[in-house]
Amino acid sequence: DAGVIQSPRHEVTEMGQEVTLRCKPISGHNSLFWYRQTMMRGLELLIYFNNNVPIDDSGMPEDRFSAKMPNASFSTLKIQPSEPRDSAVYFCASTLTGGTEAFFGQGTRLTVV
Amino acid sequence: AQSVAQPEDQVNVAEGNPLTVKCTYSVSGNPYLFWYVQYPNRGLQFLLKYITGDNLVKGSYGFEAEFNKSQTSFHLKKPSALVSDSALYFCAVRGSSGGSYIPTFGRGTSLIVHP
Protein backbone atom coordinates (compact mmCIF):
# COMPACT_ATOMS: atom_id res chain seq x y z
CA ASP A 1 0.00 0.00 0.00
CA ALA A 2 1.25 3.49 -0.80
CA GLY A 3 0.18 4.84 2.55
CA VAL A 4 -1.78 8.03 3.14
CA ILE A 5 -1.34 10.35 0.17
CA GLN A 6 -1.68 14.11 0.47
CA SER A 7 -1.55 16.76 -2.20
CA PRO A 8 -0.13 19.21 -2.82
CA ARG A 9 3.05 18.90 -0.73
CA HIS A 10 3.56 22.64 -0.78
CA GLU A 11 1.12 25.45 -1.39
CA VAL A 12 1.83 29.17 -1.47
CA THR A 13 -1.16 31.43 -1.87
CA GLU A 14 -2.15 35.02 -1.37
CA MET A 15 -4.34 36.15 1.47
CA GLY A 16 -7.99 35.94 0.55
CA GLN A 17 -7.62 33.09 -1.91
CA GLU A 18 -9.31 29.72 -1.57
CA VAL A 19 -7.08 26.77 -0.73
CA THR A 20 -8.01 23.10 -1.06
CA LEU A 21 -5.94 20.33 0.48
CA ARG A 22 -6.50 16.73 -0.54
CA CYS A 23 -6.08 13.38 1.15
CA LYS A 24 -6.37 9.76 0.06
CA PRO A 25 -6.46 7.44 3.09
CA ILE A 26 -5.12 3.92 3.19
CA SER A 27 -7.50 1.54 1.45
CA GLY A 28 -9.80 -0.15 3.96
CA HIS A 29 -9.34 2.44 6.69
CA ASN A 30 -12.61 3.95 7.80
CA SER A 31 -11.40 6.67 10.18
CA LEU A 32 -9.75 9.83 8.93
CA PHE A 33 -8.24 12.76 10.80
CA TRP A 34 -7.05 16.19 9.74
CA TYR A 35 -4.37 17.76 11.95
CA ARG A 36 -2.59 21.11 11.81
CA GLN A 37 0.98 21.54 13.03
CA THR A 38 2.49 24.87 14.04
CA MET A 39 5.43 25.81 16.22
CA MET A 40 3.20 27.69 18.62
CA ARG A 41 0.40 25.16 19.09
CA GLY A 42 1.98 21.84 18.15
CA LEU A 43 -0.27 19.20 16.55
CA GLU A 44 -3.96 20.10 16.71
CA LEU A 45 -6.87 17.94 15.62
CA LEU A 46 -9.12 19.79 13.20
CA ILE A 47 -11.72 17.18 12.31
CA TYR A 48 -12.39 13.45 12.58
CA PHE A 49 -14.44 11.39 10.10
CA ASN A 50 -15.72 7.89 10.65
CA ASN A 51 -17.24 6.01 7.71
CA ASN A 52 -17.20 9.28 5.75
CA VAL A 53 -19.27 11.10 8.37
CA PRO A 54 -17.82 14.01 10.36
CA ILE A 55 -17.89 12.95 14.00
CA ASP A 56 -15.91 15.68 15.73
CA ASP A 57 -15.22 19.05 14.12
CA SER A 58 -14.70 20.98 17.33
CA GLY A 59 -11.12 21.72 16.33
CA MET A 60 -12.02 23.55 13.13
CA PRO A 61 -10.88 27.10 13.86
CA GLU A 62 -13.73 29.02 12.26
CA ASP A 63 -16.21 29.07 9.43
CA ARG A 64 -13.47 29.74 6.92
CA PHE A 65 -12.47 26.09 7.31
CA SER A 66 -14.54 23.25 5.89
CA ALA A 67 -13.87 19.56 5.31
CA LYS A 68 -15.61 16.90 3.29
CA MET A 69 -15.29 13.19 2.74
CA PRO A 70 -17.47 12.30 -0.26
CA ASN A 71 -16.29 8.69 -0.30
CA ALA A 72 -14.04 6.29 1.55
CA SER A 73 -11.01 7.10 -0.56
CA PHE A 74 -10.96 10.88 -0.63
CA SER A 75 -11.17 13.87 1.68
CA THR A 76 -10.65 17.60 1.27
CA LEU A 77 -9.91 20.43 3.64
CA LYS A 78 -10.83 23.84 2.29
CA ILE A 79 -9.91 27.29 3.59
CA GLN A 80 -11.85 30.21 2.16
CA PRO A 81 -10.71 32.95 2.43
CA SER A 82 -7.18 32.11 3.55
CA GLU A 83 -5.26 34.29 6.00
CA PRO A 84 -1.55 34.48 6.90
CA ARG A 85 -2.26 32.90 10.31
CA ASP A 86 -3.41 29.75 8.50
CA SER A 87 0.18 29.09 7.47
CA ALA A 88 1.07 25.68 8.89
CA VAL A 89 1.66 22.07 7.95
CA TYR A 90 -1.59 20.16 7.53
CA PHE A 91 -1.58 16.41 8.04
CA CYS A 92 -4.10 13.77 7.16
CA ALA A 93 -4.09 10.44 9.00
CA SER A 94 -6.17 7.28 8.71
CA THR A 95 -6.84 4.18 10.76
CA LEU A 96 -9.37 1.41 11.27
CA THR A 97 -12.08 2.22 13.77
CA GLY A 98 -11.21 0.25 16.87
CA GLY A 99 -7.76 -0.25 15.44
CA THR A 100 -4.81 1.21 17.15
CA GLU A 101 -2.19 3.39 15.52
CA ALA A 102 -2.97 6.07 12.96
CA PHE A 103 -0.95 6.37 9.77
CA PHE A 104 0.05 9.84 8.61
CA GLY A 105 0.55 11.37 5.22
CA GLN A 106 3.58 13.48 4.34
CA GLY A 107 1.68 16.69 5.00
CA THR A 108 0.94 19.86 3.04
CA ARG A 109 2.98 22.90 3.94
CA LEU A 110 0.71 25.91 3.45
CA THR A 111 2.09 29.42 3.26
CA VAL A 112 -0.35 32.32 2.99
CA VAL A 113 1.29 35.62 2.08
CA ALA B 1 -10.68 14.94 28.49
CA GLN B 2 -7.52 13.12 27.56
CA SER B 3 -4.14 14.83 27.48
CA VAL B 4 -0.44 14.19 27.02
CA ALA B 5 2.49 16.05 28.53
CA GLN B 6 6.00 15.96 27.20
CA PRO B 7 7.87 18.03 29.77
CA GLU B 8 11.04 18.55 27.77
CA ASP B 9 11.10 20.62 24.58
CA GLN B 10 14.56 19.29 23.81
CA VAL B 11 16.76 16.41 24.91
CA ASN B 12 20.46 16.36 24.18
CA VAL B 13 22.51 13.16 24.36
CA ALA B 14 25.88 12.00 23.14
CA GLU B 15 26.06 9.24 20.56
CA GLY B 16 26.38 5.86 22.23
CA ASN B 17 24.73 7.00 25.46
CA PRO B 18 21.29 5.87 26.54
CA LEU B 19 18.39 8.21 25.88
CA THR B 20 15.03 8.82 27.53
CA VAL B 21 12.20 10.98 26.24
CA LYS B 22 9.50 11.53 28.84
CA CYS B 23 5.73 11.34 28.48
CA THR B 24 2.87 11.42 30.95
CA TYR B 25 -0.79 11.08 30.07
CA SER B 26 -4.33 11.44 31.31
CA VAL B 27 -7.26 9.43 29.92
CA SER B 28 -10.44 7.78 31.14
CA GLY B 29 -10.22 4.03 31.36
CA ASN B 30 -7.42 1.94 29.95
CA PRO B 31 -5.02 3.84 27.72
CA TYR B 32 -3.70 3.08 24.30
CA LEU B 33 -0.30 4.79 24.09
CA PHE B 34 1.88 5.53 21.09
CA TRP B 35 5.19 7.04 20.10
CA TYR B 36 5.80 8.62 16.72
CA VAL B 37 8.90 10.14 15.17
CA GLN B 38 9.01 13.03 12.71
CA TYR B 39 12.02 13.79 10.55
CA PRO B 40 12.34 17.22 8.89
CA ASN B 41 9.75 17.86 6.19
CA ARG B 42 8.18 14.46 6.73
CA GLY B 43 5.00 13.08 8.25
CA LEU B 44 4.80 11.30 11.58
CA GLN B 45 6.03 7.73 11.53
CA PHE B 46 4.73 5.17 14.01
CA LEU B 47 7.42 3.78 16.36
CA LEU B 48 5.65 1.64 18.95
CA LYS B 49 2.49 1.22 20.98
CA TYR B 50 1.18 -0.08 24.28
CA ILE B 51 -2.24 -1.68 24.22
CA THR B 52 -2.13 -4.31 26.96
CA GLY B 53 0.18 -6.92 28.39
CA ASP B 54 3.89 -6.49 29.08
CA ASN B 55 4.72 -3.04 30.36
CA LEU B 56 7.90 -2.90 28.29
CA VAL B 57 7.18 -2.63 24.60
CA LYS B 58 9.72 -2.76 21.82
CA GLY B 59 9.45 -0.92 18.55
CA SER B 60 11.28 0.16 15.45
CA TYR B 61 14.95 1.21 15.25
CA GLY B 62 15.83 -0.24 18.66
CA PHE B 63 13.44 1.98 20.61
CA GLU B 64 11.42 0.74 23.55
CA ALA B 65 8.99 2.29 26.00
CA GLU B 66 7.88 1.45 29.49
CA PHE B 67 4.27 1.79 30.58
CA ASN B 68 3.84 2.74 34.24
CA LYS B 69 0.22 2.82 35.26
CA SER B 70 0.75 4.23 38.74
CA GLN B 71 2.79 7.13 37.41
CA THR B 72 0.69 7.45 34.23
CA SER B 73 3.88 7.55 32.23
CA PHE B 74 5.10 6.07 28.97
CA HIS B 75 8.74 7.08 28.56
CA LEU B 76 10.61 6.31 25.35
CA LYS B 77 14.06 4.79 25.70
CA LYS B 78 16.98 3.52 23.68
CA PRO B 79 20.11 1.92 25.14
CA SER B 80 22.55 3.51 22.70
CA ALA B 81 21.70 6.66 20.75
CA LEU B 82 22.67 7.26 17.13
CA VAL B 83 23.14 10.60 15.41
CA SER B 84 20.46 9.47 12.97
CA ASP B 85 17.97 9.29 15.86
CA SER B 86 17.92 13.10 15.93
CA ALA B 87 14.32 14.06 15.19
CA LEU B 88 11.07 15.26 16.76
CA TYR B 89 9.30 12.68 18.92
CA PHE B 90 5.60 12.70 19.76
CA CYS B 91 3.76 10.77 22.43
CA ALA B 92 0.02 10.14 21.92
CA VAL B 93 -2.85 8.65 23.90
CA ARG B 94 -6.37 7.52 23.12
CA GLY B 95 -8.99 5.68 25.08
CA SER B 96 -9.76 2.02 24.55
CA SER B 97 -13.56 2.25 24.65
CA GLY B 98 -16.02 3.28 22.00
CA GLY B 99 -16.21 6.96 21.23
CA SER B 100 -12.64 7.66 22.28
CA TYR B 101 -10.77 6.76 19.14
CA ILE B 102 -9.27 10.19 18.56
CA PRO B 103 -5.58 10.24 19.50
CA THR B 104 -4.30 13.25 21.42
CA PHE B 105 -0.69 14.23 20.84
CA GLY B 106 1.87 15.91 23.05
CA ARG B 107 3.78 19.01 21.97
CA GLY B 108 6.74 16.95 20.85
CA THR B 109 10.32 16.64 22.09
CA SER B 110 13.27 17.46 19.89
CA LEU B 111 15.99 14.85 20.34
CA ILE B 112 19.49 15.93 19.40
CA VAL B 113 22.21 13.30 19.39
CA HIS B 114 25.72 14.73 19.29
CA PRO B 115 28.57 12.86 17.58
Side-chain angles (χ1 to χ4, degrees):
Chain A
D1 198 314
V4 177
I5 299 172
Q6 292 186 246
S7 64
R9 288 294 309 278
H10 303 273
E11 176 81 34
V12 180
T13 191
E14 293 184 346
M15 181 174 62
Q17 296 298 304
E18 177 180 296
V19 175
T20 299
L21 311 181
R22 297 172 175 79
C23 174
K24 176 179 169 55
I26 292 174
S27 177
H29 283 187
N30 56 357
S31 290
L32 184 139
F33 309 88
W34 283 99
Y35 286 90
R36 178 172 67 177
Q37 185 180 31
T38 61
M39 289 292 292
M40 291 295 295
R41 301 174 69 89
L43 203 60
E44 305 172 274
L45 176 73
L46 298 177
I47 189 167
Y48 161 52
F49 289 90
N50 183 246
N51 292 324
N52 312 338
V53 176
I55 304 299
D56 185 344
D57 65 354
S58 59
M60 296 286 265
E62 48 199 272
D63 291 345
R64 298 185 298 106
F65 285 69
S66 62
K68 294 182 179 180
M69 192 164 186
N71 57 61
S73 59
F74 184 64
S75 177
T76 60
L77 178 68
K78 184 178 294 186
I79 308 173
Q80 166 63 19
S82 58
E83 297 182 3
R85 60 192 169 120
D86 301 331
S87 297
V89 181
Y90 290 81
F91 288 104
C92 176
S94 72
T95 188
L96 285 168
T97 302
T100 54
E101 66 270 24
F103 294 84
F104 281 74
Q106 296 293 298
T108 295
R109 181 175 296 277
L110 173 64
T111 303
V112 183
V113 298
Chain B
Q2 58 195 36
S3 64
V4 172
Q6 294 181 241
E8 302 152 317
D9 290 338
Q10 184 171 301
V11 169
N12 292 276
V13 64
E15 187 174 32
N17 283 359
L19 69 87
T20 299
V21 182
K22 296 179 181 177
C23 171
T24 58
Y25 68 90
S26 174
V27 69
S28 297
N30 294 323
Y32 286 1
L33 294 155
F34 310 90
W35 276 100
Y36 289 81
V37 60
Q38 184 181 30
Y39 296 101
N41 301 313
R42 303 294 298 274
L44 278 69
Q45 298 177 34
F46 170 72
L47 270 181
L48 52 79
K49 64 187 176 188
Y50 171 82
I51 303 302
T52 187
D54 194 347
N55 289 343
L56 184 65
V57 294
K58 295 185 183 298
S60 307
Y61 312 121
F63 283 94
E64 58 189 28
E66 185 167 12
F67 170 63
N68 187 316
K69 187 173 183 178
S70 63
Q71 297 185 3
T72 62
S73 67
F74 189 57
H75 301 330
L76 181 70
K77 300 181 180 183
K78 187 174 182 181
S80 179
L82 300 172
V83 172
S84 58
D85 293 330
S86 299
L88 189 57
Y89 290 80
F90 290 92
C91 180
V93 68
R94 51 156 280 204
S96 55
S97 58
S100 59
Y101 296 130
I102 301 173
T104 298
F105 288 81
R107 291 294 305 269
T109 298
S110 177
L111 172 67
I112 300 175
V113 182
H114 302 276

